[in-house]
Amino acid sequence: MSTNLDAVRQQNQRTLSHDKTIDIADMDGFQLEPRVTEQFLERMQKEVEILGLVDTMTLDRLDQFVPQFGVPVLSGDTRDDGGSRTSSSTAETGRVKFDANDRSYYILVEPKRDAIKNTHWDEEEFGNYVVDQFIQRWGNDAALIGMRAAASSGALNDYVPSDVSHLDSRFTGWIARAEGDTQSVDDSNNSTRLGLEDTTDAELDTMPIVDNTDSNGNPQPIDTGVFNDTIQTLDSRYRDSGSTVFLCNPDQVQQYAMDLTSREDPLGSAVIFGDSDLTPFDYDIVGINGWPKSYAMFTDPDNLAFGLFSEMEVDQTQDTDKVHENKLHSRNWMEGQMDYQIKEMQAGTLVTGLADPMA
């Protein structure tokens, strides 16, 4: 992993410059203070890699807009002697909308009495245990929903053993948004992305796509040609080897590394012995746990956004029939509302049709 991505993580975490300590006292009350929600978000960034890379933010409102500012290819103009300056600017402004309405999600932690009877925890230590569970579980779930929800292939319902199709209907992750998902109608009405000078209105809410299937529609393995096509598809103004990366499943990263080892040259040996980073054309490849294997995305991770409504709620019950019947210590809930967005579709390339290297 390059130091550039480490710097991105650190910068994202510094945007939430609050006290990092969360204890049982902070959970005293049904609704958490906004500062505590921000602390939860900061800790989730450290727990889950993709949340540490993307632009994470707390939302002050369930409907919240992120402004967009565009710069034309050429911003100025000439003025004749005795003439006047132009009276208008071609610079554009737009917005991307987060909509956390009806997108509530909760985590339930139910520690059994037998599991904690020998821990000798006091109230504060038990509270810290519950907080840690909330952080780990919410971070894991938020990341998976962000990557997979409503995607055409490898959606949550395809990945989780139980029926979670309602999550694919409720949430729209980054890949689904990049595909031009069913919620793009909401985007068209409420988000006004800018695009580039030659971006048509129909393309504003869909990321440029590289299809890696053959003429018969069969997925093909990841290789250097895919990386080249993906880079060439992205407008050169968005290509920055210090921040633009390939996001994909770790199995795809391993498959690409294996292909490189077959080369009978110094690079193949360097990959085998771990002496060479996987940086096709000087861009990093980031393997993200839980990323759908049939996709890759080439973008600055900061172009992907996760918004968590600042008014999270917690609740605990200890004296109920459910608690006593199942010999639970307590039932602990945390609930919040969240949404996912892509700031600028033309600032990335989506790769589809990657063959499963484990198949």
Side-chain angles (χ1 to χ4, degrees):
M1 185 67 62
S2 75
T3 56
N4 291 319
L5 289 181
D6 292 336
V8 169
R9 288 196 189 90
Q10 293 171 9
Q11 180 178 355
N12 286 346
Q13 291 163 5
R14 282 196 298 269
T15 60
L16 301 171
S17 56
H18 297 269
D19 178 15
K20 300 177 180 60
T21 302
I22 308 174
D23 55 29
I24 192 65
D26 289 315
M27 300 180 65
D28 184 15
F30 185 67
Q31 183 171 297
L32 297 183
E33 297 179 16
R35 70 170 181 85
V36 181
T37 299
E38 292 182 344
Q39 291 166 2
F40 271 105
L41 187 56
E42 182 177 0
R43 286 187 58 182
M44 279 189 282
Q45 286 179 282
K46 295 181 178 181
E47 288 284 341
V48 181
E49 183 174 26
I50 188 66
L51 296 183
L53 292 173
V54 304
D55 185 8
T56 59
M57 63 188 75
T58 53
L59 306 177
D60 297 327
R61 297 173 298 279
L62 292 174
D63 290 321
Q64 183 162 319
F65 293 98
V66 176
Q68 301 290 93
F69 301 96
V71 178
V73 175
L74 195 63
S75 299
D77 203 349
T78 61
R79 183 181 68 82
D80 296 331
D81 289 341
S84 60
R85 291 186 288 267
T86 180
S87 59
S88 62
S89 169
T90 56
E92 298 183 20
T93 60
R95 64 186 188 180
V96 174
K97 181 181 179 181
F98 284 95
D99 182 3
N101 290 286
D102 198 32
R103 290 184 175 89
S104 296
Y105 193 77
Y106 71 87
I107 298 291
L108 173 61
V109 178
E110 295 181 303
K112 290 185 175 292
R113 297 174 198 167
D114 291 343
I116 64 174
K117 68 169 64 173
N118 294 321
T119 61
H120 303 291
W121 281 339
D122 58 26
E123 180 181 354
E124 181 177 351
E125 290 172 321
F126 176 76
N128 291 336
Y129 162 77
V130 174
V131 170
D132 289 343
Q133 289 295 306
F134 282 149
I135 295 293
Q136 294 170 10
R137 298 185 190 192
W138 193 287
N140 176 77
D141 291 11
L144 283 177
I145 293 171
M147 292 183 285
R148 290 182 174 269
S152 297
S153 175
L156 288 167
N157 201 48
D158 300 325
Y159 184 68
V160 180
S162 56
D163 182 5
V164 293
S165 56
H166 58 285
L167 293 179
D168 288 314
S169 300
R170 184 70 57 89
F171 293 99
T172 305
W174 298 302
I175 289 176
R177 288 213 180 274
E179 291 179 303
D181 59 277
T182 56
Q183 294 193 17
S184 62
V185 174
D186 293 337
D187 285 346
S188 297
N189 290 337
N190 298 312
S191 294
T192 52
R193 295 186 178 89
L194 299 178
L196 301 171
E197 293 76 16
D198 57 351
T199 304
T200 66
D201 290 342
E203 296 172 327
L204 284 174
D205 297 314
T206 301
M207 187 174 282
I209 292 177
V210 170
D211 182 2
N212 195 48
T213 59
D214 62 16
S215 58
N216 296 318
N218 298 315
Q220 298 300 299
I222 195 168
D223 59 19
T224 303
V226 177
F227 290 120
N228 179 64
D229 292 343
T230 304
I231 294 169
Q232 295 282 26
T233 300
L234 182 64
D235 188 275
S236 59
R237 283 169 284 182
Y238 293 119
R239 299 179 206 162
D240 181 354
S241 60
S243 59
T244 311
V245 302
F246 290 96
L247 302 172
C248 61
N249 188 279
D251 289 341
Q252 296 289 5
V253 179
Q254 177 61 31
Q255 181 62 48
Y256 180 61
M258 181 61 187
D259 289 344
L260 291 180
T261 63
S262 64
R263 294 174 49 162
E264 297 181 358
D265 59 18
L267 176 60
S269 299
V271 171
I272 292 177
F273 293 107
D275 296 330
S276 176
D277 292 329
L278 299 180
T279 53
F281 305 102
D282 202 31
Y283 293 97
D284 285 319
I285 309 175
V286 184
I288 304 294
N289 288 326
W291 188 276
K293 294 181 181 180
S294 59
Y295 295 96
M297 187 180 289
F298 183 54
T299 191
D300 181 342
D302 189 65
N303 189 37
L304 310 180
F306 168 60
L308 178 64
F309 184 50
S310 60
E311 298 179 4
M312 297 189 75
E313 299 175 353
V314 294
D315 194 14
Q316 183 186 79
T317 60
Q318 289 183 301
D319 190 16
T320 65
D321 291 342
K322 177 81 170 179
V323 170
H324 296 303
E325 289 171 2
N326 294 314
K327 301 187 68 175
L328 302 175
H329 173 277
S330 57
R331 307 187 77 203
N332 304 271
W333 288 269
M334 169 169 278
E335 182 171 325
Q337 291 166 275
M338 57 190 180
D339 194 20
Y340 304 83
Q341 266 296 356
I342 297 178
K343 300 176 188 176
E344 179 51 67
M345 291 293 185
Q346 308 309 309
T349 304
L350 181 68
V351 181
T352 65
L354 291 176
D356 184 350
M358 306 302 290

